Amino acid sequence: MFDGSASRREFMKAAVAAGGVAALSACLDRAPTAPVPSGTTDYGSLPERQHAWDDFTRRDEYDNVEIPRHHVLLYLNLDGDGPPTDADRQTVESALFVLDRAYQRSNEGLLWSIAYSPRYFSRFDDPLPESLDLPEPRALSSFETPEFDRQDALVHLASDRAAVVLEAEQALFGGVETANGVEVDATLSPVFSVDSRRTGFVGVGLPAEKQSNLNGIPEGNPVPNESPLFMGFKAGFKKNQATEDYVTLSEGPFAGGTTKHVANVRQRLGDWYEEEDYYHRVMKLFSPAHAEQGLVDGVGNNLGDDSGIDAVVDRIRDDAREFGHVGHAQKAARANRDEDGNVKLLRRHFESTDDGVASLHFPSLQRGISDFEAVREAMNGADLTDIPTIRQRVSNGILEYIFVKHRGNFLVPPRSLRALPTPTGEAP
Ligand code: HEM
């Protein structure tokens, strides 16, 4: 079992942010004694969906999925122009196969995926299938000017063990000779270079430990220890998340895959903690009814497996008039159900202290990027600003406190196409 002491957790988190071989060895020195569970050479036993994480990670007492605590995002560019070669593909597959063999696909081992951008696919003569909803990233509100992540590929590494994400990263780029005892006989280095490395963490205790001296979090350590996120509440209730089945592409050459939007959102929580009271934080994050009826206790564990937002979606304009506020979840939920009531997005967001700034890395999985864009538009609440109390960024959910810095769109292909796929769905 892992040593969950505060000082050890703090250390591991700092190590993931710093990265590199030195950080890895420092981390290993303090790693828990239990061995990291090994991977498999039986390729066929692994799920075909790279995004199949939910059955391989922890759940809380209400069956809400808890994604791993430590994360690294590696934004990669292919060296050179034009499509990759078969030899490149072979190299990439061999490097990825090291991870399969080294680590059990789980929160105690490694959960991971590799995804590809529209720009990557534009290297080929053939177009992507028309049915694939994977546009280039764009600004999704009138008040944001994000940088667009158009790198070729995105590797997402996640584990409850900080040392595992670091070692896996080193294995992919040749910083170690073995990974969990498995020989690193191929790396991504001949094919890819790392354009941007981003890190993060999520889960009870971690944001509180990391909050001091952080740009965006006011003095006085306001983030409660029980909170998995900087804003002081839990998110990702089972009934407010799409299932993996739902977000999986059911047809076309990439059937078994999914699309991934990743935003990076800066947080400025001075006023959140210093001017708002708990009642108004609940109102702004959930809904006015949640605050009025006292539905949320502490960080929200009492909500069980459902935020209860569906009951208050239709009254949003009345709430705006009566309370002068609308809730973040209340707004977003308006576009997050299909006609049968299924939830459309599977959010897998985690916090970050990259560059000394509190931010959120926000990966979201869905059948098509326009599903994400529609939810984000609903969350913008521009349609509510005709009500005098609601302004574009004030009294409008949490928009006053979050600032989009990056957006990128990617295809997470099925595992059999994970190594430099063509737009027609081959990885020869
Ligand atoms: C710091 C930033 C954010 C925090 C702290 C946050 C927190 C929350 C919380 C507490 C909930 C209600 C519980 C739940 O259903 O998970 C929620 C719901 C939701 N949020 Fe966020 N969120 C943030 C940013 C975003 C962003 C950038 C999006 C982008 C579209 C988003 C989309 C959603 C959606 C779709 C829901 C579910 C609503 C439904 O039930 O359908 N959130 N969020």
Side-chain angles (χ1 to χ4, degrees):
M1 284 308 295
F2 72 74
D3 159 15
S5 71
S7 59
R8 190 178 162 274
R9 292 204 305 263
E10 174 66 17
F11 178 83
M12 294 302 199
K13 203 151 29 61
V16 173
V21 181
L24 171 60
S25 22
C27 216
L28 288 173
D29 287 345
R30 298 172 56 126
T33 43
V36 173
S38 301
T40 179
T41 51
D42 180 7
Y43 198 70
S45 69
L46 293 170
E48 175 64 349
R49 297 174 187 174
Q50 291 197 75
H51 57 289
W53 290 16
D54 287 359
D55 289 340
F56 303 96
T57 188
R58 281 173 289 107
R59 307 242 171 172
D60 71 9
E61 59 188 306
Y62 304 104
D63 209 30
N64 299 311
V65 169
E66 296 192 330
I67 60 167
R69 290 165 72 81
H70 298 284
H71 295 252
V72 171
L73 296 172
L74 299 172
Y75 288 80
L76 309 179
N77 276 325
L78 287 174
D79 304 331
D81 300 325
T85 64
D86 288 355
D88 293 340
R89 195 165 284 128
Q90 186 58 51
T91 302
V92 169
E93 183 53 38
S94 303
L96 300 178
F97 193 33
V98 173
L99 300 187
D100 291 335
R101 282 176 286 151
Y103 308 106
Q104 183 185 71
R105 185 171 283 256
S106 76
N107 57 308
E108 288 287 330
L110 182 72
L111 291 174
W112 64 279
S113 67
I114 182 165
Y116 296 90
S117 68
R119 177 156 297 184
Y120 162 78
F121 287 109
S122 73
R123 290 171 172 273
F124 298 84
D125 291 336
D126 288 321
L128 282 166
E130 260 177 37
S131 58
L132 187 67
D133 181 359
L134 183 74
E136 289 278 356
R138 59 188 184 105
L140 297 181
S141 70
S142 59
F143 48 90
E144 66 181 43
T145 48
E147 257 180 61
F148 298 118
D149 288 314
R150 295 196 162 114
Q151 296 88 344
D152 288 293
L154 172 61
V155 170
H156 185 165
L157 306 170
S159 175
D160 278 341
R161 302 213 188 177
V164 168
V165 283
L166 285 174
E167 187 184 65
E169 178 187 358
Q170 290 303 318
L172 287 177
F173 283 92
V176 289
E177 281 170 15
T178 59
N180 202 21
V182 168
E183 187 198 346
V184 178
D185 55 8
T187 75
L188 296 179
S189 301
V191 178
F192 279 121
S193 47
V194 179
D195 180 67
S196 179
R197 174 181 188 275
R198 303 179 199 166
T199 72
F201 51 86
V202 63
V204 172
L206 294 175
E209 279 166 30
K210 202 62 188 173
Q211 63 183 310
S212 24
N213 300 320
L214 191 60
N215 209 324
I217 309 283
E219 304 259 297
N221 295 340
V223 181
N225 193 49
E226 312 74 59
S227 178
L229 295 169
F230 280 132
M231 289 191 88
F233 294 90
K234 123 180 210 176
F237 299 97
K238 186 177 184 182
K239 298 218 169 100
N240 303 87
Q241 287 276 53
T243 61
E244 284 170 353
D245 279 347
Y246 189 87
V247 302
T248 300
L249 300 169
S250 57
E251 50 194 35
F254 298 104
T258 187
T259 74
K260 181 170 187 165
H261 177 87
V262 187
N264 175 251
V265 180
R266 178 173 184 176
Q267 299 173 71
R268 301 182 91 128
L269 303 182
D271 289 351
W272 178 250
Y273 281 112
E274 290 176 340
E275 289 197 355
E276 304 297 350
D277 53 14
Y278 180 80
Y279 171 92
H280 282 96
R281 290 200 287 270
V282 169
M283 185 174 275
K284 290 182 165 195
L285 203 37
F286 292 88
S287 83
H290 282 71
E292 275 293 294
Q293 296 168 30
L295 298 182
V296 185
D297 188 24
V299 302
N301 287 321
N302 68 303
L303 292 167
D305 66 356
D306 188 345
S307 74
I309 214 69
D310 293 270
V312 298
V313 167
D314 289 344
R315 52 183 277 187
I316 192 163
R317 291 185 68 83
D318 296 332
D319 279 354
R321 288 197 196 90
E322 187 176 345
F323 299 101
H325 287 283
V326 289
H328 160 71
Q330 185 183 26
K331 278 184 295 169
R334 297 182 296 166
N336 197 23
R337 304 287 180 277
D338 70 10
E339 59 241 20
D340 300 321
N342 299 304
V343 179
K344 293 182 170 182
L345 308 190
L346 176 51
R347 294 165 281 141
R348 285 183 170 159
H349 53 76
F350 52 93
E351 299 289 10
S352 180
T353 57
D354 288 346
D355 306 317
V357 171
S359 79
L360 184 79
H361 292 301
F362 195 101
S364 169
L365 306 180
Q366 52 281 311
R367 288 181 189 170
I369 295 295
S370 46
D371 289 338
F372 180 82
E373 294 186 343
V375 172
R376 174 65 213 206
E377 192 181 335
M379 173 180 152
N380 292 341
D383 58 313
L384 301 165
T385 57
D386 61 312
I387 299 165
T389 47
I390 309 295
R391 285 188 278 144
Q392 184 53 81
R393 298 197 82 156
V394 179
S395 306
N396 195 340
I398 56 174
L399 294 174
E400 204 178 328
Y401 313 99
I402 63 174
F403 303 84
V404 178
K405 295 294 176 193
H406 287 267
R407 291 196 181 284
N409 292 334
F410 299 89
L411 171 75
V412 188
R415 184 170 48 82
S416 51
L417 298 176
R418 70 186 180 182
L420 299 171
T422 70
T424 48
E426 280 127 50

